[in-house]
Amino acid sequence: MEQNLLEMLLNTDSVSGEEFALQDQLEAHMKPFADSCERDAVGDGIYTVNGKEPDNGRTSDNGKESDNGGRSNNGGSAGNSAGTGGRTILLAAHIDEIGLMVTGATEDGFLRVINAGVIRTRTYPGHGVKIRTENGILYGSVVMNPDAFKNGDMEAKHLLIDIGALSKEEALSNVRPGDTVVFDASIRHLQNGRIRARGLDDKTGVYTIMEALKRVREQGSVNTVMAAATAGEEISKHGARWVAERKRPDEAIIVDVTYTSDYDGMRDAEWGEVSLGKGPALCVNAICDKKMNRKLMKIAEQEGIPYQLEISSGKTCTDADEIHFAADGIPTALVSIPLRYMHTPAETADLQDLENTIRLLTAYLTQGE
């Protein structure tokens, strides 16, 4: 299991709107493994492995021309246009993370902030943070005072960050409004193959789709596979919409994280029982394609890959919501990585769940119809 990519993703902050530096690193990493690498104006990165003609040892079950149910792919379906008879499948996972944005400073040099994404405000007081500035990373501490937890309506606008500045002028000579802030939290390996870090939502997803793409390249497939590290999921999901509208795949699998129900305070989950270490969770709801879900379950059972089910009756609150409705409608499945303590500096996942997600995706992508 290649962990260098995961550690690279986790070590670089990428608050929504500031994904570009991390996308640069991901592109450098993925170039040797992809037939093409694309970037767009909003910060998406798309890596493609083209489908190959089936040989005597591998035949397509498709056996038909690339009509795609009457849907035009506008050049996105490289596999079909190449005559392989396979599908064009989009994998998507968001590369952005939650955080804060600087809005200004107080007269005595403390930074003021707002949220970028849905944060848990009460997890910030007393913690160290990193500020991404035009001149590099600065460090600070979130102000902790006796009233920090007495305010039942605490919001990001109530937080202040101490960077050591003595005045407003000094603070704003080092940090500009719009600079982004994340927890200064390290990657730590826990017992039983578990990992703790900031940003596992959803850099574990980016990691698994990129590793699956590498295995597809190595094993070969009749299908053309695109792996997209999307921008802006935590604030608007605009990156996923851009990718889906331009590429128009035959189908899409989104990989994100989901809440577990395996610890106190979460055991009465309404969406089903989801635990660390028991495999990826397949989402069952009206948006997720039943045929794709059945195929994923069948493959998992054939390959001996553990999986779980999560149930929802509305939107998924992931990139799947945008991709499903893009273009003329794209059949979509959601594969979720179990995660404890989401949107905190100590998100916790199980490395075996990541490996089983990669295995499931790879098996799905290398099969015909």
Side-chain angles (χ1 to χ4, degrees):
M1 187 173 177
E2 177 58 66
Q3 292 187 37
N4 288 339
L5 173 58
L6 179 60
E7 292 177 1
M8 180 268 283
L9 291 166
L10 292 169
N11 279 326
T12 303
D13 55 286
S14 55
V15 174
S16 303
E18 287 292 343
E19 300 93 343
F20 297 94
L22 183 52
Q23 289 283 27
D24 288 343
Q25 295 181 57
L26 180 59
E27 181 177 1
H29 179 92
M30 290 302 297
K31 272 186 175 179
F33 306 104
D35 293 320
S36 67
C37 304
E38 300 176 58
R39 298 278 293 278
D40 65 27
V42 297
D44 297 312
I46 309 168
Y47 305 92
T48 302
V49 169
N50 295 325
K52 298 180 180 179
E53 292 285 356
D55 56 27
N56 292 334
R58 174 188 232 130
T59 58
S60 169
D61 296 324
N62 194 343
K64 61 182 180 181
E65 296 298 323
S66 56
D67 58 15
N68 300 318
R71 183 171 69 250
S72 170
N73 279 313
N74 288 351
S77 185
N80 289 337
S81 63
T84 66
R87 296 158 291 151
T88 295
I89 305 172
L90 172 66
L91 302 177
H94 69 89
I95 200 167
D96 64 311
E97 61 180 299
I98 61 164
L100 305 170
M101 293 181 66
V102 175
T103 61
T106 65
E107 291 301 323
D108 46 358
F110 295 93
L111 302 181
R112 296 188 183 277
V113 294
I114 58 171
N115 60 295
V118 180
I119 68 164
R120 301 183 187 276
T121 311
R122 290 182 177 227
T123 63
Y124 280 85
H127 276 279
V129 291
K130 298 192 298 184
I131 303 102
R132 176 171 287 277
T133 77
E134 193 174 56
N135 297 315
I137 299 295
L138 288 181
Y139 297 92
S141 301
V142 182
V143 171
M144 175 70 183
N145 61 50
D147 296 324
F149 297 111
K150 294 179 182 179
N151 182 357
D153 298 321
M154 179 185 284
E155 299 177 30
K157 65 184 180 181
H158 298 125
L159 300 174
L160 294 173
I161 297 175
D162 182 356
I163 61 170
L166 301 179
S167 66
K168 180 177 183 177
E169 291 72 24
E170 182 185 358
L172 295 181
S173 69
N174 290 283
V175 179
R176 300 196 306 180
D179 287 344
T180 55
V181 181
V182 297
F183 287 111
D184 185 14
S186 301
I187 306 167
R188 298 297 183 202
H189 290 268
L190 310 182
Q191 297 296 302
N192 298 305
R194 292 173 177 179
I195 187 172
R196 183 205 81 193
R198 181 209 82 243
L200 292 175
D201 172 16
D202 182 33
K203 295 176 184 183
T204 53
V206 175
Y207 168 73
T208 55
I209 68 171
M210 296 303 163
E211 290 300 313
L213 190 75
K214 293 178 188 178
R215 295 187 192 184
V216 170
R217 175 66 178 267
E218 181 180 356
Q219 296 177 25
S221 176
V222 69
N223 302 309
T224 289
V225 180
M226 298 178 288
T230 62
E233 191 271 353
E234 297 289 1
I235 56 171
S236 67
K237 302 175 179 58
H238 60 278
R241 189 64 176 248
W242 274 49
V243 169
E245 291 282 1
R246 287 191 294 108
K247 307 310 291 186
R248 299 196 176 195
D250 296 318
E251 58 189 48
I253 300 176
I254 288 73
V255 181
D256 209 320
V257 296
T258 191
Y259 295 97
T260 65
S261 58
D262 58 357
Y263 61 96
D264 287 346
M266 299 290 282
R267 297 190 193 280
D268 296 327
E270 297 177 0
W271 60 88
E273 295 182 1
V274 177
S275 301
L276 289 188
K278 294 185 178 181
L282 306 182
C283 183
V284 177
N285 76 351
I287 285 178
C288 297
D289 186 78
K290 294 185 183 302
K291 181 180 176 181
M292 293 178 69
N293 265 343
R294 284 195 295 268
K295 185 173 180 180
L296 285 163
M297 293 176 199
K298 181 179 179 180
I299 289 172
E301 290 158 6
Q302 290 173 340
E303 299 291 328
I305 302 169
Y307 70 92
Q308 308 175 74
L309 296 179
E310 60 172 339
I311 315 299
S312 71
S313 59
K315 289 187 175 182
T316 69
C317 299
T318 71
D319 278 343
D321 298 335
E322 288 296 319
I323 292 173
H324 174 70
F325 291 108
D328 299 320
I330 297 170
T332 300
L334 173 60
V335 177
S336 298
I337 297 166
L339 188 72
R340 289 178 179 171
Y341 325 128
M342 194 183 301
H343 287 198
T344 74
E347 294 177 337
T348 301
D350 191 306
L351 291 173
Q352 193 58 49
D353 287 335
L354 274 61
E355 174 60 25
N356 283 324
T357 301
I358 297 166
R359 289 177 60 205
L360 180 59
L361 294 175
T362 304
Y364 185 96
L365 297 167
T366 52
Q367 287 196 6
E369 292 285 356

